[in-house]
Amino acid sequence: MAATLTIASDLAELRRLRAFVDAFCLESRLGERIAHSLTLVVEELLTNLVAYGYDPGAPAGVVTVLLHVEGGAVVLSFDDDGRPFDPTTRPVYDLEGSLEDRPVGGLGLHLIRTMMDEVRYARVGDRNCLILTKRIQ
Amino acid sequence: MEIGETRRGQILVLTPVGRIDNETSPAFQAKLLGAVGTNGATVLLDMSKVDYLSSVGLRALMVASKQAKAVNGRMAVAGLHPMVKEIFAISRFNYVIQVFDGVDDAVAAWS
């Protein structure tokens, strides 16, 4: 089972992205928890990309999202033409801090890394290719 | 976003409905900041009707919680949906904001 969606790097695409993930999870009978994790992860990824991936005022880029189930896991590939960004090398978010010490940024990335079992990154030509895997219990 | 508003004695109970995401978070944050802006305000967020919370929603809660502290107010959440509870656990948000099982628990604790 596999599905692909190509969207613009625009927050207006969030609804379409969400509908795409929902439909895939429903068809693949992945259950509510997996669907919730995947929805959250793609939403955080697109939001990050729109916020930091392009120069201000630059035209929207092109994002390709691919979902498939393979060997007891659901694999999400998120491929964009934003500036090079490898989330796997970002420092781990500091969870120990009290309210005053907590950084406001970095939470989205923390959610992505925690909710998925594996995150791999490659820069291929002028594109960021992220492959995120979540085991299906 | 629809946000219900009731009073339980001194406590202002806000009940947001639906998803707290990119689309709805600005309105959610504005409403929260308005509520916690008054000196000594006691605000409880009944989250029982929220089934989705992304990092922008967490940020809104963090900002409002800081604001509440700055004006000697109190703010807490109650009735977390299982999915939202997971997000709170992953982010260890219990360090950031007080969490009650239900609205009644918060009311009892604060009375």
Side-chain angles (χ1 to χ4, degrees):
Chain A
M1 188 126 228
T4 313
L5 175 76
T6 299
I7 53 172
S9 63
D10 189 318
L11 292 181
E13 296 276 42
L14 277 170
R15 275 168 186 255
R16 209 149 69 93
L17 183 58
R18 211 156 70 211
F20 166 75
V21 172
D22 279 348
F24 177 82
C25 291
L26 207 63
E27 273 172 46
S28 310
R29 298 170 197 275
L30 290 176
E32 204 186 341
R33 274 199 77 209
I34 301 266
H36 176 262
S37 301
L38 288 176
T39 303
L40 194 97
V41 166
V42 292
E43 189 159 334
E44 299 288 352
L45 284 171
L46 185 64
T47 309
N48 262 344
L49 177 69
V50 171
Y52 308 113
Y54 304 90
D55 292 329
V62 178
V63 182
T64 305
V65 181
L66 184 118
L67 279 169
H68 73 279
V69 176
E70 180 191 296
V74 55
V75 181
L76 160 71
S77 111
F78 191 96
D79 178 307
D80 68 71
D81 56 0
R83 72 179 90 233
F85 176 66
D86 179 358
T88 64
T89 59
R90 303 299 298 163
V92 173
Y93 186 80
D94 181 14
L95 290 168
E96 302 302 328
S98 67
L99 181 58
E100 284 70 27
D101 307 325
R102 284 279 190 106
V104 169
L107 265 174
L109 210 51
H110 172 71
L111 292 180
I112 293 169
R113 285 161 129 184
T114 314
M115 300 199 98
M116 302 304 280
D117 292 304
E118 191 189 31
V119 182
R120 280 181 293 150
Y121 171 83
R123 181 77 181 173
V124 180
D126 61 353
R127 303 189 69 85
N128 295 305
C129 302
L130 262 188
I131 296 176
L132 310 102
T133 309
K134 187 165 182 68
R135 283 191 296 273
I136 307 164
Q137 275 88 8
Chain B
M1 118 173 277
E2 184 192 335
I3 303 175
E5 197 174 325
T6 51
R7 283 214 161 262
R8 293 279 295 264
Q10 293 300 305
I11 306 171
L12 174 65
V13 182
L14 297 180
T15 311
V17 180
R19 301 168 49 96
I20 302 176
D21 58 13
N22 262 286
E23 212 169 299
T24 57
S25 189
F28 174 67
Q29 182 167 330
K31 180 81 184 179
L32 265 185
L33 284 177
V36 299
T38 327
N39 228 342
T42 304
V43 178
L44 180 67
L45 265 176
D46 176 3
M47 298 284 278
S48 58
K49 294 193 168 85
V50 172
D51 59 1
Y52 184 94
L53 178 80
S54 71
S55 68
V56 284
L58 288 176
R59 273 195 287 275
L61 288 174
M62 204 186 277
V63 169
S65 193
K66 280 186 183 178
Q67 169 72 24
K69 241 181 172 175
V71 298
N72 295 314
R74 266 202 294 206
M75 181 187 145
V77 296
L80 298 183
H81 187 276
M83 307 288 184
V84 175
K85 209 177 231 176
E86 190 186 350
I87 299 296
F88 259 65
I90 288 174
S91 323
R92 306 241 189 116
F93 240 60
N94 54 316
Y95 287 116
V96 173
I97 186 165
Q98 196 173 6
V99 179
F100 289 101
D101 282 343
V103 170
D104 291 340
D105 299 294
V107 171
W110 282 351
S111 299

